[in-house]
Structure formats: C-alpha cells, structure tokens
Amino acid sequence: MKNGKAHLNRNAQRIVDQLIADDERYGIAHSRGPLGEHLIDAGAVSAGGLEAGLRMTEICMGGLGTVSLALDRNNERWPLSVTVHSSQPVLACLASQYAGWRLTHEKYFAMGSGPARALARVEPLFEEIAYNETDAPSSVLLLETDKPPPAAVVEKVSAATGLAPDALTFIYAPTQSLAGCVQIVGRSLEVALHKAHSLHFPLDNIVDGTGCAPVPAPHPDFLQAMGRTNDAIIYGGLVQLFVRGSAAAARDLAEQLPSSRSRDYGQPFAEIFKTFKGDFYAIDPHLFSPAEVIVTAIETGETFRAGEWNRQMLEQSLG
C-alpha cells in the first residue's frame, strides 16, 4: 500500500485523543515534556490498567486492529486472555506494532513501537514494506519503560519523523504494570507476522489474521515480568493466518511458525535470558512466535495446524 490510505498515524491519534479525554477512566496521566512533546504515563507512576493496555495495543497497531479481553471458564489457571485481529495484518503488525526502533541516550534505553516507525522508516524492515505516509500531522510512539524519553530521544524521533516535538506523543508503561503486560501479550499476531517474514513467506500473501494469549499476573521484578509476558505467547499463544498461494506453501508456513521449532524452546524465558547473559539478540529469534498456529489457504480451502499449548511451561513461568 504505497499511497498511505490506511493512515496509521491519523488512526492512532484518534485513539490517543480519546485516551487523554478519558484519562481518569483509563488511569493514565498526560503532561507536556520540556520540548512540548505529549507524554502519557500509562503505568509507571499512574495506575493504568487492563483497559489502558487495550488502548495502547490499538494505538500500536495504528488503529488497524481490534483488541479485546475474554474470560474462559475452561482455563482455570489463566482464564483471562487478550485477542487481537487485523484485516491488514502486515501494516498493523509490521509497519506499526513491531517494537523495532531502538532508542538510546546515555543510560536510557527503550524499544519503540507504533505508527511513528512508519514515518521514520529507519529500520531495514521498511525496505520490504512499501507503505509510506507523507501527510501525517502528528505521530505516536510507545515505549516499554518506566521513564519518559529524555530530550535527546525526543529530538531524535522528531528528526526521523520530520515532525516538531509538540506533534509527537510518547506513551510509556513498564512491563511490570497491568497496561504494559496487556500490550505485550497483545503481540501474538505480531510475532507470527514477524516470524513469517523471517521465513521469507511473501508478506503480500498474508491477508488476515487473529491471535490470542493468556494474561499473566504482573510481577514486580522486571526480568520475571518480561519472562511471563513472553512465555504467555511462546507457550500459550494461538494464531490463525489466512493466506493466498498454494496449499503446500501454507502447510510449510504452519509447520515452521510455532515456537517449538526454535533451538531455545523448552525453558522459561527468564531462564533463557539469563543463559545468554541478558543479550536479547543472542536468543534464537525463531523462539518469538506463538505456541500454536493455524494457517488457512483461502484459495484452496485447506487448513493446516501445528504446535501446541504447553501447560507445563506455563505453570513454571506464569505460576
């Protein structure tokens, strides 16, 4: 989609405006930073909550996804889950939601996700995504951290997006918060799309998708909180993709997508992270995918399933 008709940034801004207008309902705090940037604390000092996490996920997807919570009586251990869906999954998940923008300054570090990435286009991924926005009057970036971005990071984002700081909104929440937990677990579809890309499946052939994963209890320790949210997808996520192309290609995608195909599968993520001495990028990237996958070839009417819900690993990680 080359002409920007999806309007990732405009869609996201509408949700941001609603979030600010109903700040008490969502338990968030809004302020202006030193350069005039909009700052939304969704779970650092402010309470945030499940609903704030849902809105954050929708913002991350550039307004091209629907996000909801559900309770399942049949799952007595982790009955609450986050379900996401998009009929434009490549744009929603890869051009917007994927946390692919590393933002650092001195001791500050955060991964940026959201539609500002589609304006900046500083990641190699955008060499393969034709989508481009040229008329966005404002933009949004979500940061997985408990601190607002320093002025140097705001200036970096401003320069990359071509927008003045007062046209930028930064939403931040730590993984240990309810909102932060929800928005990470709300990436079940995103990780499936990213792995499909790494497997060189044609992105244009992915036409629809939905995913879900259980919501773990937040944990005050960052490493444990990060481990739980990742394991919720790696060992408990379920994704269905609808694709064009041959049945053989759909079958191969289904067989390769599950997290169980990774060499690092089989331990709680927090333990894997310790094994690699905190080097996130040393972990096999193929681990970051759903536990179970369903791929439907819409031109042949065939459906292929692979992977499985790993209750033992969920019990070790989620408690």
Side-chain angles (χ1 to χ4, degrees):
M1 186 173 294
K2 299 180 180 180
N3 57 10
K5 289 294 179 64
H7 296 306
L8 292 169
N9 284 280
R10 292 177 186 271
N11 293 341
Q13 187 63 53
R14 284 195 291 267
I15 305 172
V16 167
D17 292 343
Q18 178 191 11
L19 197 62
I20 293 172
D22 294 334
D23 55 354
E24 292 187 6
R25 167 185 171 182
Y26 293 111
I28 60 98
H30 171 256
S31 62
R32 290 277 189 170
L35 300 179
E37 70 275 17
H38 298 254
L39 300 173
I40 296 179
D41 172 359
V45 176
S46 66
L50 297 173
E51 200 168 4
L54 296 180
R55 300 293 85 76
M56 288 168 64
T57 308
E58 292 172 351
I59 290 165
C60 272
M61 298 179 77
L64 296 184
T66 56
V67 189
S68 61
L69 293 170
L71 281 170
D72 180 4
R73 291 181 183 275
N74 295 319
N75 185 353
E76 70 279 5
R77 293 295 299 273
W78 311 283
L80 184 64
S81 65
V82 177
T83 298
V84 297
H85 166 256
S86 179
S87 289
Q88 297 192 54
V90 173
L91 293 185
C93 297
L94 297 186
S96 192
Q97 188 182 22
Y98 176 58
W101 195 357
R102 299 180 70 184
L103 294 165
T104 61
H105 177 68
E106 297 178 347
K107 294 183 179 181
Y108 184 88
F109 172 83
M111 297 302 296
S113 58
R117 295 176 50 248
L119 292 182
R121 298 181 63 86
V122 296
E123 304 158 46
L125 177 61
F126 284 96
E127 295 174 6
E128 301 176 52
I129 300 177
Y131 180 82
N132 192 17
E133 287 191 13
T134 58
D135 61 347
S138 62
S139 192
V140 190
L141 198 66
L142 187 138
L143 306 172
E144 296 174 16
T145 177
D146 62 352
K147 294 179 176 62
V153 168
V154 175
E155 290 172 344
K156 179 178 182 178
V157 174
S158 174
T161 59
L163 294 173
D166 63 3
L168 297 172
T169 298
F170 296 88
I171 307 175
Y172 61 98
T175 308
Q176 300 96 311
S177 67
L178 271 176
C181 178
V182 167
Q183 75 86 14
I184 295 174
V185 174
R187 295 173 180 270
S188 56
L189 181 60
E190 177 236 288
V191 297
L193 266 288
H194 192 259
K195 187 167 181 180
H197 169 257
S198 70
L199 293 170
H200 306 293
F201 187 84
L203 294 180
D204 288 344
N205 284 358
I206 304 175
V207 299
D208 215 314
T210 189
C212 68
V215 178
H219 197 286
D221 177 74
F222 168 73
L223 181 59
Q224 294 301 318
M226 180 180 66
R228 287 183 175 188
T229 52
N230 278 280
D231 288 337
I233 296 175
I234 293 169
Y235 299 114
L238 170 64
V239 166
Q240 181 163 10
L241 300 180
F242 296 84
V243 303
R244 286 190 290 259
S246 69
R251 180 190 299 109
D252 185 61
L253 179 62
E255 292 174 352
Q256 296 298 320
L257 268 181
S259 56
S260 56
R261 296 302 299 261
S262 167
R263 67 162 195 255
D264 294 329
Y265 180 90
Q267 295 184 71
F269 184 81
E271 296 302 317
I272 297 171
F273 194 73
K274 290 178 184 177
T275 298
F276 288 97
K277 297 179 171 58
D279 185 354
F280 196 85
Y281 296 96
I283 300 170
D284 180 11
H286 286 179
L287 178 66
F288 301 101
S289 50
E292 298 178 84
V293 175
I294 303 169
V295 180
T296 297
I298 60 174
E299 294 172 331
T300 69
E302 295 170 85
T303 295
F304 306 95
R305 297 169 176 82
E308 62 180 358
W309 163 282
N310 191 326
R311 184 183 180 90
Q312 179 182 357
M313 292 307 307
L314 289 172
E315 288 178 346
Q316 285 190 45
S317 177
L318 274 58

